[in-house]
Amino acid sequence: MPMKPTQLAPHLHQVLFGFVNAYAVTTPEDDWVLVDTGLKTNFASLQNLDTHFGRPPLAIVLTHGHFDHAGNAGELASRWGVKIYVHHLERPFLTGQSMYPPSDPTVGGPLAQMTRVIPNALFNLTGQLETLPEDGILPPLPAWKLIETPGHTPGHISLWNEDERILIAGDALATADFDSYLGMATKKQKLSLGGSPFTPDWEAARASVHKLADLEAVVVAAGHGKLMSGADLPQQMRDFAHTFTPPQQGRYVENPARFSEKGVTFLPPKPQDNFGRNAAKIAGAAAVVMLGAKLISRRKAD
Ligand SMILES: [Zn+2]
Ligand SMILES: [Zn+2]
């Protein structure tokens, strides 16, 4: 069953909620922009948003190009005749020029185990992409500022509404802990690392979290996890930034991947992966794979 959009704030609607979130940002003129497009299997939940909002969106914006955020960007942009705005450093991953750095199952936790069965999708959106303006203001969304938040990906962006103090953070952070089995199962609200197994530069990710904490947002809508809001959120964000701790181990923890306008230019060596040596880990991983299969089949059904 396609999900119904939920209004979260006067100009913010949640249009996808589950493994990954997507948002619609509306303007005072009742126009709207789609921010992120979910997994391929979420298409049914997104295709009729033009009916819900009474018109097609003015544009699609991607916080970044990972498979769970760009999954339907091409199809929806064609359907609605709109452009897909991305940061210029994200372009090579969306034109087939470069693959993202391989995900890292050795950071630990359920999401890391799931990456063993999630194929690294490659999209080719050549001809549909528009580069974000240098001044960070998207013409269709003058009330929102686009903020560069690299680390999770080199061209990752977040969206910030200064007047309403609303932050759309993509995977610069998460509002549930997907590195913990309990966190992933319950999606209990907690400021957490965004997509650890997919993050190839932890120092940049840390700097981006500090940048976001400085905004003093009272509403944080992330790519994964439930919305967080409240007067104490600025303090929670500051605490999260000051105690920011990358995973204890992992391919990119000490040695980040490097990038240029053309994509990946350096990858640290593949780490030793002890998967298979430890029976408890195998049992845990099997449970996660089953959960992953369940998630994927549920997505297929919607
Ligand atoms: Zn991501
Ligand atoms: Zn994501």
Side-chain angles (χ1 to χ4, degrees):
M1 269 282 286
M3 72 163 267
K4 259 191 140 70
T6 313
Q7 187 162 10
L8 303 172
H11 297 115
L12 180 67
H13 302 249
Q14 182 142 21
V15 296
L16 259 192
F17 176 71
F19 172 71
V20 65
N21 304 325
Y23 301 96
V25 172
T26 53
T27 72
E29 296 78 34
D30 290 331
D31 281 313
W32 64 288
V33 168
L34 179 62
V35 181
D36 287 342
T37 66
L39 292 160
K40 269 224 166 305
T41 45
N42 295 136
F43 186 74
S45 289
L46 301 171
Q47 62 172 341
N48 294 322
L49 287 177
D50 50 353
T51 310
H52 178 84
F53 289 107
R55 59 187 86 173
L58 295 176
I60 294 171
V61 178
L62 298 180
T63 57
H64 62 302
H66 277 158
F67 67 97
D68 52 334
H69 297 256
N72 302 293
E75 287 86 342
L76 292 172
S78 303
R79 184 182 174 92
W80 293 327
V82 298
K83 288 288 186 190
I84 305 161
Y85 282 88
V86 292
H87 189 278
H88 66 100
L89 290 177
E90 217 61 14
R91 281 185 86 106
F93 309 106
L94 293 164
T95 56
Q97 199 177 3
S98 178
M99 295 288 281
Y100 281 109
S103 56
D104 180 9
T106 69
V107 293
L111 189 61
Q113 300 302 349
M114 276 175 75
T115 66
R116 296 178 189 281
V117 292
I118 299 174
N120 199 350
L122 189 64
F123 303 109
N124 194 339
L125 307 177
T126 307
Q128 296 181 288
L129 298 176
E130 197 74 61
T131 301
L132 292 166
E134 295 264 317
D135 65 359
I137 306 290
L138 198 65
L141 285 186
W144 293 74
K145 188 160 174 54
L146 308 166
I147 298 177
E148 292 179 334
T149 43
H152 180 68
T153 64
H156 189 285
I157 56 134
S158 302
L159 289 86
W160 167 238
N161 185 317
E162 176 86 43
D163 293 338
E164 297 175 23
R165 312 206 74 74
I166 297 174
L167 173 66
I168 301 176
D171 286 355
L173 52 80
T175 52
D177 183 5
F178 279 31
D179 293 334
S180 118
Y181 287 85
L182 194 63
M184 191 177 212
T186 63
K187 293 206 187 77
K188 185 173 184 287
Q189 283 145 310
K190 182 186 173 198
L191 291 169
S192 305
L193 303 178
S196 294
F198 301 101
T199 300
D201 186 340
W202 286 100
E203 261 322 297
R206 179 203 306 273
S208 290
V209 164
H210 275 269
K211 200 191 246 189
L212 294 181
D214 287 345
L215 298 173
E216 312 231 310
V218 295
V219 176
V220 174
H224 302 270
K226 293 176 195 161
L227 185 93
M228 287 179 75
S229 63
D232 65 337
L233 193 51
Q235 185 59 47
Q236 288 186 54
M237 286 283 284
R238 277 193 291 275
D239 293 346
F240 176 59
H242 287 123
T243 58
F244 184 93
T245 314
Q248 288 186 329
Q249 56 184 20
R251 181 172 191 169
Y252 308 105
V253 172
E254 299 288 336
N255 207 2
R258 287 196 276 273
F259 303 91
S260 74
E261 304 274 333
K262 292 180 179 162
V264 174
T265 58
F266 167 80
L267 286 176
K270 213 172 163 198
Q272 188 180 342
D273 185 359
N274 291 331
F275 184 74
R277 287 198 193 164
N278 181 321
K281 272 190 193 160
I282 294 174
V288 170
V289 169
M290 279 164 62
L291 176 72
K294 209 169 122 195
L295 274 173
I296 288 162
S297 66
R298 200 189 293 162
R299 289 287 99 73
K300 282 196 175 129
D302 81 7

